[in-house]
Amino acid sequence: METNKENIIRKIVQGKSLSLSEQTWWEANLGRLEIQEQLKLVQGLQKALALENEDLLKQQLQSWDKESTASVPRKLGRTRSLPRIVLVAASLALLLVSLFWVFQKQNPDLIAQYFEPYPSILDPVLKGENQTTSREMTAMQAYQNKDYVQALKYFEGLEKSNDTLSFYRANTLLALGQYPQAQSAFTSLGDHQNRFQKEARWFEALSLLGMERSSDAKAKLLVLSGEAAHPYQHEAEEILRKME
Amino acid sequence: MSDDLQSDSQLKELYLSYKKDFLNSTARYNLDSESRTDIYQDAFIALYQAVKKNVDIKKDIKNYLFGIGRHMIFDRIKKQKEERQLQADLVASGQEYTIPEDPALNIWEECLRKAIGQMSPSCRKILTLFYYRGYSIEAIMHSMNLRNENVTKSQKSRCLRQLKEMVKNADA
């Protein structure tokens, strides 16, 4: 009960919604002095921890700024041999070529290594939906058989508001290398509460890799790698290490 | 915050990768580069917290970061203008001018914050994960490599008790 009580107070402070039984408990106990004191403590802790952590991060950012400034070599004099514009153009060309090569090579490699279409849950899909049509069955069957071209054809004609079907459709798009469409679908699934919300955020990161948006992919992976209970936490950590 | 990051190096890379672009794109505003760097840091902290709290970031990370940063720049410029105006008015009326302090925490909360700063890193971490990040006991157990949920619960209770004691002693 102790933990339940704390959880309810935490939810209240964080503005999260309560279940019916939690709401009932909260209304019955709200007036108790002990509960009010605990509420005050949790509110104070949140504020104080937020500021304490902001300060620590700010110090960390400042030290990175110092490091990065110190690591830039000082200019001893002008380079005489080539005009500056030629050097800049050459560096840019070199950078573009290397980026092209790195993206061409690294991102598809990583996707190939880490992307595995989410296992088909044909039966639960059917169990969960009251009016499963034969078209849904056919789409899922094709997905299960890894016939993604056919699967997409059937998924396209289906109800877009069904999160389960949308998730498998997005996986199909990713399997077919249609990264922007996959990313958009996964972003939408990651935006609201549904059974695949967490998984969608992982696949969204893979789609961003496919789109060569490495910085954005890294940012997403960074968040996943910090979530201890995320089903793809280890994979996110691994992929980030490989991208370094 | 940073002591429980999975990988500081990735965060550092992300921070540095957008910095130059941010400073360049905001160079036209009437703020020196030191102030813009300070704002970039604050915007990055806001982004970090938003992401950790699963705030819905509709656009991409860069848009979100630059959007927050620009708002912060406008706020600072506005505040500077207001302060200059206030200063001019006060000088004209012969009064002294002092910058008002930010009343973010009350005395008790400030005490709490000081006590948190004096705690061991593991206690700070467990309290941060539970009360600030909203982790479950199970998630904390995995994140901190603790033996089981009971150990995690009792360590959290011990740290909270210690914190309450520290605040009580500071009050006395």
Side-chain angles (χ1 to χ4, degrees):
Chain A
M1 191 60 211
E2 180 61 28
T3 310
N4 287 344
K5 184 172 75 182
E6 274 195 312
N7 280 337
I8 293 170
I9 292 174
R10 262 198 321 170
K11 280 186 178 177
I12 292 284
V13 173
Q14 288 167 352
K16 290 183 180 164
S17 54
L18 299 180
S19 68
L20 195 61
S21 61
E22 288 171 335
Q23 185 67 37
T24 312
W25 182 91
W26 177 244
E27 281 164 13
N29 291 281
L30 175 62
R32 282 167 53 200
L33 185 64
E34 174 216 349
I35 297 298
Q36 284 181 7
E37 278 178 355
Q38 196 155 355
L39 180 66
K40 186 184 154 201
L41 175 72
V42 176
Q43 279 171 332
L45 262 173
Q46 283 219 339
K47 267 169 95 174
L49 283 166
L51 286 173
E52 180 69 16
N53 284 312
E54 265 177 35
D55 275 1
L56 285 174
L57 184 56
K58 181 98 178 175
Q59 285 166 18
Q60 179 77 79
L61 300 180
Q62 284 166 345
S63 79
W64 289 340
D65 277 338
K66 270 187 199 159
E67 270 175 40
S68 72
T69 315
S71 65
V72 175
R74 281 171 186 235
K75 279 187 184 170
L76 295 173
R78 270 178 192 277
T79 310
R80 284 184 195 171
S81 52
L82 284 170
R84 188 178 160 78
I85 188 112
V86 176
L87 286 174
V88 171
S91 315
L92 271 176
L94 196 63
L95 182 70
L96 284 173
V97 168
S98 22
L99 279 178
F100 179 77
W101 187 82
V102 166
F103 282 136
Q104 286 298 305
K105 183 168 171 27
Q106 189 188 34
N107 287 355
D109 279 357
L110 287 172
I111 295 171
Q113 199 176 340
Y114 285 94
F115 173 58
E116 196 178 321
Y118 198 78
S120 163
I121 47 164
L122 198 53
D123 292 337
V125 168
L126 299 178
K127 212 190 296 173
E129 315 299 333
N130 290 331
Q131 294 175 324
T132 306
T133 63
S134 60
R135 192 181 179 99
E136 289 168 9
M137 283 279 289
T138 317
M140 287 305 294
Q141 197 67 56
Y143 179 88
Q144 202 166 29
N145 295 338
K146 300 188 192 304
D147 184 356
Y148 299 117
V149 175
Q150 277 302 312
L152 185 62
K153 210 172 100 186
Y154 287 107
F155 276 129
E156 291 300 6
L158 291 172
E159 183 59 57
K160 296 280 191 296
S161 61
N162 181 320
D163 290 328
T164 305
L165 293 171
S166 297
F167 178 73
Y168 282 100
R169 178 181 160 270
N171 262 278
T172 306
L173 288 165
L174 189 50
L176 289 169
Q178 296 184 23
Y179 301 122
Q181 294 89 332
Q183 188 255 338
S184 158
F186 284 125
T187 304
S188 156
L189 282 159
D191 271 355
H192 66 277
Q193 192 114 38
N194 63 76
R195 63 188 292 192
F196 297 111
Q197 190 180 21
K198 283 188 170 180
E199 288 82 357
R201 286 165 50 219
W202 157 252
F203 289 112
E204 183 193 3
L206 291 183
S207 309
L208 285 166
L209 272 181
M211 292 163 75
E212 298 178 7
R213 285 170 57 185
S214 292
S215 292
D216 294 327
K218 271 186 183 180
K220 300 272 177 200
L221 291 167
L222 183 67
V223 176
L224 301 190
S225 72
E227 288 177 22
H230 196 282
Y232 290 96
Q233 191 235 359
H234 293 299
E235 286 85 347
E237 268 180 5
E238 266 182 37
I239 212 166
L240 280 168
R241 269 199 298 275
K242 288 181 182 170
M243 287 172 83
E244 268 178 8
Chain B
M1 184 182 293
S2 59
D3 59 347
D4 62 312
L5 284 176
Q6 296 293 323
S7 168
D8 270 359
S9 64
Q10 276 112 31
L11 192 66
K12 180 181 176 182
E13 196 182 327
L14 189 67
Y15 170 74
L16 293 175
S17 68
Y18 291 132
K19 186 185 163 195
K20 201 175 166 193
D21 203 3
F22 180 83
L23 294 183
N24 287 340
S25 70
T26 54
R28 64 181 183 279
Y29 301 116
N30 193 19
L31 283 175
D32 56 29
S33 100
E34 205 175 304
S35 302
R36 281 182 284 126
T37 303
D38 185 47
I39 287 172
Y40 178 67
Q41 287 164 357
D42 290 344
F44 193 83
I45 291 170
L47 166 76
Y48 181 82
Q49 287 171 340
V51 170
K52 284 284 171 194
K53 287 177 188 167
N54 275 335
V55 169
D56 182 16
I57 298 173
K58 293 271 184 211
K59 292 175 186 165
D60 63 22
I61 296 274
K62 186 180 172 186
N63 275 344
Y64 190 86
L65 177 65
F66 282 34
I68 300 174
R70 278 198 197 97
H71 274 291
M72 287 178 168
I73 285 181
F74 296 144
D75 280 351
R76 188 162 305 187
I77 291 172
K78 196 177 154 202
K79 205 172 167 190
Q80 279 179 352
K81 271 186 194 161
E82 283 168 359
E83 280 176 4
R84 272 199 297 271
Q85 186 57 50
L86 182 61
Q87 196 170 20
D89 292 349
L90 290 172
V91 168
S93 66
Q95 288 174 281
E96 278 188 24
Y97 173 72
T98 49
I99 297 169
E101 280 182 24
D102 186 8
L105 295 179
N106 62 35
I107 296 171
W108 179 75
E109 287 164 347
E110 196 57 66
C111 224
L112 207 54
R113 187 181 170 187
K114 240 182 226 168
I116 291 167
Q118 289 164 0
M119 297 188 95
S120 67
S122 64
C123 267
R124 265 209 311 265
K125 183 170 178 177
I126 205 165
L127 293 179
T128 299
L129 292 180
F130 189 77
Y131 289 104
Y132 177 59
R133 297 273 175 77
Y135 274 36
S136 65
I137 291 291
E138 191 196 351
I140 295 174
M141 177 186 84
H142 291 302
S143 173
M144 293 181 70
N145 282 329
L146 295 170
R147 212 179 325 137
N148 55 42
E149 289 191 19
N150 285 337
V151 170
T152 313
K153 265 186 220 167
S154 60
Q155 188 163 334
K156 192 213 79 188
S157 303
R158 186 178 54 77
C159 292
L160 187 61
R161 215 170 28 246
Q162 191 190 339
L163 180 71
K164 282 181 184 168
E165 278 298 310
M166 288 164 90
V167 173
K168 206 166 127 190
N169 291 340
D171 270 351

